[in-house]
Amino acid sequence: RKEVEQDPGPFNVPEGATVAFNCTYSNSASQSFFWYRQDCRKEPKLLMSVYSSGNEDGRFTAQLNRASQYISLLIRDSKLSDSATYLCVVGKAAGNKLTFGGGTRVLVKP
Amino acid sequence: DAEITQSPRHKITETGRQVTLACHQTWNHNNMFWYRQDLGHGLRLIHYSYGVQDTNKGEVSDGYSVSRSNTEDLPLTLESAASSQTSVYFCASSESGFGQGGTEAFFGQGTRLTVV
C-alpha cells in the first residue's frame, strides 16, 4: 500500500462548477500536510498548506481529518486555469521527509 | 529574486555513462532534495541534505550519489546510467523541516533525462 494515495482522475469539471477530492495517508506520524499544484511538464508549486482546523484560500478549501487520515481539497467556481494535477503531500520531521501522492488530474472545460 | 535552477533541462546519455545533474539555489536554504518523477509513482526521494557536508539516502538512492560542498549546490550523480533511470528529476530546497508547521519546498524546473 502506498503511503499517500490519491484518485488519479481525471476529474472533468464544467467551468464554474465545484470539484472536491481526497487523499489518504497511512503514516499516523505525519505532521505537516500540503496541496501542491503541478502543470504539465512543470515543477510542483505549493498551492496551500493544510491545517488541523481547515483553511481556505480564495476559491480553495482544504480540510484535514487526522482520525480518518485523509486530506481534502475543494475548488469552487472552477476556472479553466485550474486545470492541473494536484499533489497531496505529507511531511514528517523524522528523516525530514515529504511523501507525495501520485496526483489527481483536474480538467476544467468550458 | 531568489531561485532554484537545474541544468541541463534535457539530456540524453548512453547506458553505463556517468552523468551529473546540477542544482543551484540562491535562498541560502540548508535543506536540499532530489526527487525523480515517473508515471505511476509520483515523486520519490533520491537523496537529501541538511547542510554542508551532510548527505542522506532517500527511498530510491541505489545508483545515485550527491555531495554538498557549499550551501547553494547539490549535484546529483548517476554513477553508471541505466535505462531504468530514465525519468524527470526535480531538485528542491526548503528553509526548514517538515514536522509540525512544516515549510514550503521550492522546486527547480526539472531535468528530463533519457538513458539509451
Side-chain angles (χ1 to χ4, degrees):
Chain A
R1 182 187 175 191
K2 292 182 180 178
E3 195 168 332
V4 180
E5 297 208 63
Q6 297 183 247
D7 182 338
F11 284 67
N12 293 300
V13 184
E15 192 175 9
T18 295
V19 60
F21 41 89
N22 292 340
C23 149
T24 59
Y25 62 95
S26 61
N27 192 332
S28 59
S30 301
Q31 295 168 286
S32 55
F33 308 89
F34 310 89
W35 284 103
Y36 277 70
R37 170 188 169 132
Q38 186 173 27
D39 294 300
C40 188
R41 295 174 173 262
K42 298 284 187 66
E43 73 274 23
K45 293 184 179 179
L46 180 68
L47 177 68
M48 59 196 300
S49 301
V50 186
Y51 303 119
S52 297
S53 55
N55 49 299
E56 188 174 304
D57 183 359
R59 297 180 293 105
F60 297 84
T61 300
Q63 297 282 348
L64 168 63
N65 186 316
R66 284 189 182 268
S68 300
Q69 296 187 192
Y70 75 84
I71 308 154
S72 65
L73 182 66
L74 181 145
I75 307 173
R76 284 186 297 277
D77 187 23
S78 297
K79 312 292 185 190
L80 298 177
S81 57
D82 294 334
S83 296
T85 296
Y86 291 86
L87 303 174
C88 175
V89 186
V90 173
K92 58 179 186 277
N96 201 17
K97 186 179 175 183
L98 284 180
T99 303
F100 288 77
T104 296
R105 191 170 173 215
V106 173
L107 296 173
V108 182
K109 301 189 174 181
Chain B
D1 285 344
E3 60 181 6
I4 180 166
T5 54
Q6 293 182 231
S7 62
R9 296 291 311 280
H10 302 271
K11 184 166 182 70
I12 300 174
T13 191
E14 294 178 342
T15 301
R17 289 193 179 267
Q18 183 180 80
V19 177
T20 297
L21 309 182
C23 175
H24 179 81
Q25 53 98 2
T26 59
W27 278 296
N28 205 36
H29 287 165
N30 283 325
N31 300 333
M32 294 185 73
F33 311 85
W34 273 104
Y35 294 87
R36 60 178 290 176
Q37 187 173 32
D38 306 285
L39 284 174
H41 289 282
L43 279 95
R44 292 180 291 172
L45 183 64
I46 304 171
H47 281 286
Y48 60 100
S49 169
Y50 290 139
V52 177
Q53 303 301 332
D54 176 76
T55 61
N56 305 278
K57 294 181 178 180
E59 60 183 299
V60 290
S61 60
D62 287 350
Y64 303 94
S65 64
V66 293
S67 61
R68 188 88 181 271
S69 59
N70 57 54
T71 301
E72 295 80 16
D73 299 289
L74 187 70
L76 177 71
T77 297
L78 286 69
E79 304 294 343
S80 177
S83 58
S84 60
Q85 295 176 308
T86 293
S87 186
V88 179
Y89 291 85
F90 288 102
C91 178
S93 73
S94 72
E95 183 176 9
S96 62
F98 304 121
Q100 190 73 26
T103 58
E104 177 179 1
F106 295 88
F107 285 81
Q109 293 173 299
T111 295
R112 190 169 295 271
L113 177 67
T114 303
V115 182
V116 298

